[in-house]
Amino acid sequence: MSKVKLKNHAESVQTNDQKKKKKHDSNKKTFFYDTTTVTNKKSKPKTVKPSIIPPTKAEEYSCNWKTLLQIIAANPEKKDEDTKQTKDANAKGKQLQTTPSVSKDSHKPDKPFRKPARTVRPASETPGRAGKDGFQQNGKDSKGHKQFKAEKRKRREEKEKPMNKKKKVEEVEMKTAEPDIWFDDVDPDDIEAALGPEAADIVRKRSGMLKSSAEVTESVLVKEHAFEGLTRAVAMDCEMVGVGCDGEDSIPARVSIVNHFGKCIYDKYVKPTEKVTDYRTAVSGIRPADIENGEDIKTVQKEVAQILEGRILVGHAIHNDLKILLLDHPKKMIRDTQKYKPFRQRVKSARPALRVLCKEILNVKVQQGEHSSVQDAQATMRLYTLVKKQWEAELKAARVGKFQKSPRKPKAPKNQSK
């Protein structure tokens, strides 16, 4: 009986176990795909780095080792900062890495984790690509891009600062080097006569006046990039030297002609026909070497006559220049700045000098020291062009009034004799 009981008990245990297994299997879900999980790869064995021991002997020391020790001794905190920066960068990189989204559908399986093709690095590690990566992630400018811009701006300012400091130091030195001159309501010409041209130039520069230099004068008298050939009106001036007893008589030494725009079209030295007793260099600027190989007077007369033919001749006391060249010109074609009435009224002189007219009307200085026939001709032409319309209109009105026919008077009746 005992054996039978034991068998029944074993069978009942087996049936109970089978029922439990069936229940457990029924609770399990069926899957129609491979449910094998990805096993972690075996980690590679860590390579043990050899310990670097500093040398004990003085001979074993090298230049690199010495410099390294010096750098570490000088900046012990730098190493800690570098390690902190690398740790922070790695932590930021891990946070920025994107994780795969969980699918909402329950029947779909969870996709295995995939690494992105390009890992996103923080702005500090990749400054060049920070703006573009941030734009792709967020759809707008990221903080990393703004931070990079701010750092770039700071670097540029740091580079410019020392240059600006140098410039400021140079400006201060220039200011201290420049002499400080204070004159209120004093004419620069008087300052030049008393203290010299340097002091006068400083005063002119501060007051905004024109300097008495040849370049400034030429820029006022000559029109740049203008026509350089013959024009309807020309201006002429001559420089003379003294001959005879005590150099009282004059002969031409230089003849210059300029066109309507102040461009020189003729300038020749004249060979003297007599022995020169006074070169008048202080005024004329003529020296023996200038006229020694000059042009013949007859050639100069012929060439000047050809230029003046049929043209308006402008000059200052031009009758003296024509007389010295033994030439004549129609009076209606001459414009003499010395005889022009508005100029004389403005200067309050019956025979104003060219120097005075230029200073009062043109605000330039001519005939300072040695004269130049080219510059004098340019000055007279500039005076003429300044009042050309008014001058020509007055002459035209005068001609019309002179040649206008007077009304015809009736003849008186004759006495008839019986």
Side-chain angles (χ1 to χ4, degrees):
M1 288 293 288
S2 62
K3 286 182 182 180
V4 173
K5 283 179 182 179
L6 286 169
K7 277 183 183 180
N8 291 332
H9 181 69
E11 285 175 0
S12 64
V13 169
Q14 283 179 0
T15 53
N16 288 330
D17 291 336
Q18 285 176 1
K19 284 177 182 179
K20 284 178 183 179
K21 280 182 183 179
K22 283 180 181 179
K23 284 180 182 180
H24 184 68
D25 294 336
S26 64
N27 290 331
K28 281 185 181 179
K29 291 182 180 180
T30 57
F31 294 95
F32 299 100
Y33 52 85
D34 189 11
T35 57
T36 56
T37 57
V38 180
T39 57
N40 294 327
K41 292 182 181 179
K42 290 181 180 179
S43 60
K44 292 181 181 179
K46 293 182 179 180
T47 56
V48 180
K49 294 181 180 179
S51 60
I52 301 167
I53 301 168
T56 54
K57 295 179 182 179
E59 296 173 357
E60 294 177 358
Y61 279 94
S62 65
C63 295
N64 295 332
W65 181 259
K66 285 179 182 178
T67 51
L68 180 62
L69 289 175
Q70 288 173 3
I71 291 164
I72 293 167
N75 301 319
E77 296 176 0
K78 193 173 182 182
K79 190 176 180 182
D80 298 334
E81 289 177 1
D82 293 338
T83 52
K84 283 180 182 178
Q85 287 178 0
T86 52
K87 285 179 182 178
D88 294 339
N90 291 330
K92 286 179 182 177
K94 286 176 182 177
Q95 287 175 6
L96 289 169
Q97 283 178 353
T98 56
T99 55
S101 59
V102 180
S103 60
K104 292 179 182 179
D105 299 331
S106 58
H107 66 275
K108 289 185 180 179
D110 295 332
K111 290 183 180 178
F113 176 78
R114 286 185 183 178
K115 266 192 175 181
R118 186 176 63 185
T119 56
V120 180
R121 293 182 182 179
S124 59
E125 290 184 8
T126 58
R129 301 287 296 175
K132 292 181 181 178
D133 293 339
F135 184 83
Q136 287 175 2
Q137 288 174 3
N138 304 330
K140 57 183 178 180
D141 290 339
S142 64
K143 291 180 181 179
H145 185 54
K146 290 179 182 178
Q147 187 180 357
F148 166 66
K149 278 189 173 180
E151 289 174 1
K152 194 175 181 182
R153 201 182 301 112
K154 282 181 183 178
R155 280 191 230 109
R156 197 187 304 122
E157 287 174 0
E158 286 174 1
K159 286 181 181 178
E160 290 176 357
K161 274 181 184 178
M163 295 294 290
N164 293 335
K165 285 180 182 177
K166 287 180 182 178
K167 285 180 181 178
K168 285 179 182 177
V169 171
E170 288 176 1
E171 286 176 1
V172 171
E173 288 177 357
M174 288 290 287
K175 285 179 182 178
T176 52
E178 187 179 358
D180 197 7
I181 299 170
W182 295 88
F183 289 106
D184 295 330
D185 300 328
V186 180
D187 191 2
D189 297 339
D190 298 335
I191 295 168
E192 188 173 352
L195 301 175
E198 293 180 359
D201 287 341
I202 293 165
V203 175
R204 287 191 189 98
K205 187 178 179 181
R206 288 182 180 179
S207 60
M209 294 174 65
L210 292 171
K211 292 182 179 180
S212 58
S213 60
E215 291 179 1
V216 175
T217 306
E218 189 177 354
S219 66
V220 175
L221 301 179
V222 184
K223 189 175 181 180
E224 291 183 3
H225 311 295
F227 180 61
E228 297 182 359
L230 280 168
T231 52
R232 169 74 175 157
V234 293
M236 184 176 71
D237 189 77
C238 297
E239 297 296 340
M240 304 166 197
V241 291
V243 293
C245 184
D246 297 330
E248 292 179 357
D249 297 331
S250 301
I251 59 170
R254 185 182 181 186
V255 182
S256 303
I257 301 173
V258 299
N259 66 2
H260 184 85
F261 305 105
K263 299 285 185 179
C264 184
I265 55 176
Y266 188 86
D267 184 26
K268 283 190 178 181
Y269 289 98
V270 184
K271 193 173 184 179
T273 53
E274 301 177 39
K275 187 180 179 181
V276 179
T277 54
D278 187 5
Y279 284 94
R280 307 172 187 174
T281 307
V283 178
S284 65
I286 303 297
R287 290 169 176 78
D290 296 333
I291 59 175
E292 187 178 353
N293 298 319
E295 192 70 55
D296 187 39
I297 183 65
K298 290 183 180 180
T299 308
V300 172
Q301 287 173 343
K302 188 178 179 181
E303 289 172 352
V304 171
Q306 287 176 354
I307 293 169
L308 300 182
E309 189 177 358
R311 289 184 170 84
I312 294 171
L313 177 60
V314 183
H316 190 80
I318 194 66
H319 58 277
N320 294 327
D321 301 318
L322 291 171
K323 185 179 177 181
I324 205 74
L325 290 170
L326 303 173
L327 293 174
D328 194 13
H329 200 68
K331 190 177 179 180
K332 64 178 183 180
M333 301 292 285
I334 292 174
R335 308 288 182 267
D336 197 334
T337 54
Q338 191 185 51
K339 295 179 180 179
Y340 186 52
K341 195 174 180 179
F343 287 163
R344 289 188 293 180
Q345 289 174 350
R346 184 166 179 177
V347 181
K348 296 178 183 179
S349 175
R351 296 174 63 187
L354 180 63
R355 180 182 65 259
V356 177
L357 289 177
C358 288
K359 186 179 178 182
E360 292 294 326
I361 298 168
L362 301 177
N363 196 23
V364 294
K365 289 185 177 181
V366 297
Q367 297 180 346
Q368 298 292 309
E370 297 180 4
H371 294 196
S372 169
S373 56
V374 175
Q375 191 181 74
D376 291 351
Q378 289 169 346
T380 53
M381 179 56 79
R382 187 71 189 93
L383 288 168
Y384 168 70
T385 55
L386 199 67
V387 294
K388 180 186 172 184
K389 289 182 180 179
Q390 183 184 349
W391 198 340
E392 295 296 333
E394 288 172 2
L395 290 172
K396 189 176 180 181
R399 286 192 207 103
V400 170
K402 186 177 180 180
F403 294 106
Q404 190 176 8
K405 291 182 179 181
S406 58
R408 187 175 179 182
K409 293 179 182 180
K411 289 181 180 181
K414 292 179 180 180
N415 292 329
Q416 295 178 358
S417 58
K418 292 183 179 177

